[in-house]
């Protein structure tokens, strides 16, 4: 039986699906409802001031409203760029 997973890494939202044989299903978000029936999740990661990951997805987006300097999002636009270029754009 073949198995595969696919990821749609979006700038603001992401989604994932898996296939096992002929069965294909979207991965549901842990954080409940989303604009796409709970099958997409915000592409946000929130860190602490010590650099530890604090939250991902919807909780990270909410926490980033209070501390935007700790929030990482929109990284997709930097994928494939040389490090110095991405660093200057980020």
């Amino acid at each position: 039986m073949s198995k595969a997973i696919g990821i749609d890494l979006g700038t603001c939202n992401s989604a994932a699906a898996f296939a096992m044989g002929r069965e294909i299903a979207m991965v549901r978000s842990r954080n409940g409802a989303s604009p796409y029936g709970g099958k997409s999740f915000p592409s946000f990661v929130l860190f602490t001031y010590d650099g530890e990951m604090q939250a991902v997805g919807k909780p990270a987006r909410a926490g980033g409203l209070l501390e935007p300097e700790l929030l990482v999002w929109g990284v997709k636009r930097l994928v494939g760029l040389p490090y110095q270029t991405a660093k200057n754009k980020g």
Side-chain angles (χ1 to χ4, degrees):
M1 175 183 299
S2 62
K3 299 175 186 176
I5 187 165
I7 299 171
D8 175 8
L9 178 61
T11 304
C12 293
N13 289 292
S14 296
F18 66 90
M20 291 178 54
R22 293 179 184 228
E23 179 187 351
I24 300 172
M26 295 288 293
V27 176
R28 295 185 83 57
S29 171
R30 289 186 200 179
N31 298 314
S34 74
Y36 305 104
K39 296 179 182 174
S40 70
F41 29 90
S43 302
F44 294 82
V45 180
L46 185 66
F47 291 90
T48 65
Y49 283 103
D50 295 331
E52 298 294 320
M53 188 176 66
Q54 182 175 340
V56 296
K58 193 174 182 178
R61 182 175 60 192
L65 294 173
L66 299 174
E67 299 178 298
E69 69 277 9
L70 300 177
L71 185 66
V72 175
W73 67 279
V75 175
K76 178 183 174 184
R77 65 189 175 86
L78 305 176
V79 172
L81 294 176
Y83 175 75
Q84 285 296 7
T85 304
K87 182 179 173 185
N88 293 333
K89 288 186 176 195

